[in-house]
Amino acid sequence: PSIVSKLVKLLDCREDELEILQVLRYKEGQEFQTHTDGFAGPTTAAGFVNSGRLVTLFAYLSNVQTGGHTEFVDLKFSVAPKKGSAVVHFPASEQLQEDTRTVHRGMPAGMDEKWILATWVWQHSRTDLQYAENNLQELSADII
């Protein structure tokens, strides 16, 4: 099975509700500033129209010995990056009310690189098919 089919099963969604998978690499000292993955009401982005993100999933693809934690600021909770583990949270309600408790940040990575896979489940199906996984250009071997 593909990664997408496994995510669809895990997140109990349809493939056309899943945002394009993103792989992020943090080099030493890099961080992701405080943010939320939700929106205040419906929005149009990433091939979705008048919709919103209901579920966030990110999986750690590498171990990081020091730093690189994901910190949920208001919850005073952090997750250490451990290869193979994942975080699922819900940035908005089904009424698209943003849940500010999910505000989080990626703390600066230590000497190790931090790699994650991220995706989001949207309330409605994707309408712009140029954003479908199977329509993306293949990456060249020198990028991967």
Side-chain angles (χ1 to χ4, degrees), residues 133-144:
E133 288 285 340
N134 58 349
N135 289 335
L136 297 176
Q137 290 183 334
E138 288 189 30
L139 296 176
S140 66
D142 62 331
I143 293 176
I144 299 176

Side-chain angles (χ1 to χ4, degrees), residues 35-104:
H35 67 285
T36 180
D37 296 335
F39 306 99
T43 193
T44 297
F48 299 91
V49 175
N50 204 27
S51 190
R53 290 173 170 170
L54 299 178
V55 182
T56 295
L57 176 134
F58 53 89
Y60 297 105
L61 304 176
S62 62
N63 289 314
V64 179
Q65 299 302 316
T66 58
H69 289 65
T70 301
E71 179 182 48
F72 288 85
V73 180
D74 293 344
L75 297 175
K76 299 183 182 355
F77 175 75
S78 72
V79 181
K82 181 178 176 191
K83 184 178 181 178
S85 63
V87 172
V88 176
H89 68 86
F90 306 92
S93 69
E94 290 183 1
Q95 295 75 36
L96 300 181
Q97 297 295 314
E98 189 172 31
D99 187 344
T100 58
R101 295 174 299 175
T102 64
V103 169
H104 59 285

